[in-house]
Amino acid sequence: MSQMLRYLSSQDVVTALPMAEVIEGMKQAYAQLSSGKAQVPLRARVETDGTTLVMPAALKDTGDLAIKIVSVFPSNAARGIPTIHALVIALDPETGVPTAFMEGGTLTAIRTGAGSGAATDILARPDSRTVAIIGSGAQARTQLEAVCTVREIEKVYVYSRTPANSRTFAEQMAGQSGIPASVVVAASANDAVRQADIVCAATTSIEPVFDGDALKPGTHINGVGSFRPDMQELDLATIQKSLVVVDSVDAVLEEAGELIIPLNNGDIDRTHIHAELGAIVNGQAAGRTDDGQITFFKSVGVAVQDVVAAGIAVKNAVARDLGTLLPL
């Protein structure tokens, strides 16, 4: 009998990855990473006109095995096509036989949002009601959906360097997937941040996108945009005043400019990185300790997220008969 390979389109992936389920999956993924139950080589990269990354991982507890190939080409915006394209391949952990392949840009956006949702659920004040979204692309959308899944958000402020994109974001996101009807276009990133209990930065900027002095006491920040040592989406003031929690210490020390640059300049030392989020999930480290504390979750993205998300997608696709079956 021939093996069958399931293909999941972007819409199939959306259907197969409900945000609340993926947020819980991300907590499990980070916990396995921090407890040494995951095999996650540092991702290989190729630099051309953009960045292409290869990200494999295997997880012991869940038995998931997958690999993602993702390209990030910022110049695509001028071409009218997405910045990020990706493909995820799920494999049987016992035989290595590919079981599914799926559109990975959508999966990446959902799992990145869910990662921030997990961090927000663990680190943000329970009474957080306002959110600032810096950026207006696919990542910004799932960041907002995830935050609104774990907190009762009443008002959203969005800022993008292109005002038309901010307006489109506000119009399309208001009232969707648990998002409040009140989504307001801010005059500046600082104006958005000043009014926010939670801040999500999801841009490809190499320079800080807001002034850390604009942050209110007690704010929680998710930073997911920068993924190279030369990218510094958040400024030194933000880093210095925050309890810094990361997805992977090894990964951020290789790729997160917000932390690498101040470390190299002597503005912070290695102890400023408080913990991995998985260590907090596992009870090995504390999270927020008071309501006035500013918390910052830095994620460069780790393959355990893709593997867990792929496992959830395949499980739900089989249960709901999603996708297209192709012979191997």
Side-chain angles (χ1 to χ4, degrees), residues 251-273:
V252 299
L253 292 178
E254 286 281 334
E255 300 178 343
E258 287 105 334
L259 300 175
I260 294 169
I261 291 170
L263 280 167
N264 289 342
N265 291 341
D267 296 314
I268 61 173
D269 62 31
R270 171 63 182 75
T271 63
H272 196 73
I273 300 175

Side-chain angles (χ1 to χ4, degrees), residues 51-314:
T51 303
T52 300
L53 306 166
V54 180
M55 303 168 62
L59 299 180
K60 182 178 180 180
D61 283 352
T62 57
D64 293 315
L65 174 63
I67 184 169
K68 182 172 81 170
I69 302 170
V70 57
S71 64
V72 184
F73 280 57
S75 59
N76 281 357
R79 301 182 176 100
I81 59 177
T83 297
I84 298 174
H85 288 88
L87 186 69
V88 178
I89 304 169
L91 303 103
D92 185 302
E94 294 182 0
T95 65
V97 173
T99 58
F101 70 107
M102 61 201 79
E103 194 281 313
T106 302
L107 181 144
T108 299
I110 293 171
R111 67 81 151 149
T112 303
S116 291
T120 301
D121 199 25
I122 292 165
L123 295 171
R125 297 189 337 266
D127 63 347
S128 297
R129 295 292 179 265
T130 54
V131 178
I133 303 291
I134 312 301
S136 58
Q139 300 283 351
R141 292 166 183 257
T142 56
Q143 292 287 307
L144 179 56
E145 181 186 351
V147 167
C148 290
T149 300
V150 299
R151 289 293 182 272
E152 296 180 10
I153 301 303
E154 298 173 352
K155 193 163 188 176
V156 178
Y157 301 89
V158 58
Y159 175 79
S160 172
R161 288 179 299 180
T162 305
N165 290 348
S166 295
R167 291 193 294 271
T168 298
F169 181 97
E171 292 167 2
Q172 293 180 349
M173 298 302 290
Q176 301 296 315
S177 301
I179 296 164
S182 182
V183 180
V184 177
V185 176
S188 69
N190 286 345
D191 283 345
V193 168
R194 287 190 187 99
Q195 303 175 82
D197 299 318
I198 299 167
V199 175
C200 297
T203 75
T204 55
S205 177
I206 62 172
E207 298 178 347
V209 293
F210 63 83
D211 185 345
D213 290 334
L215 292 163
K216 297 193 301 183
T219 301
H220 172 68
I221 309 149
N222 297 307
V224 303
S226 60
F227 59 94
R228 297 197 314 259
D230 63 326
M231 299 176 76
Q232 201 171 9
E233 191 177 37
L234 303 183
D235 66 3
L236 178 61
T238 298
I239 302 303
Q240 288 182 321
K241 65 173 58 177
S242 297
L243 181 80
V244 177
V245 177
V246 301
D247 53 2
S248 163
V249 170
D250 290 343
V252 299
L253 292 178
E254 286 281 334
E255 300 178 343
E258 287 105 334
L259 300 175
I260 294 169
I261 291 170
L263 280 167
N264 289 342
N265 291 341
D267 296 314
I268 61 173
D269 62 31
R270 171 63 182 75
T271 63
H272 196 73
I273 300 175
H274 170 65
E276 292 182 342
L277 188 64
I280 298 174
V281 175
N282 289 330
Q284 299 165 317
R288 172 182 293 275
T289 54
D290 66 72
D291 286 347
Q293 193 173 39
I294 294 175
T295 55
F296 169 44
F297 175 61
K298 176 58 196 172
S299 172
V300 293
V302 285
V304 293
Q305 296 174 264
D306 303 299
V307 174
V308 165
I312 294 170
V314 171

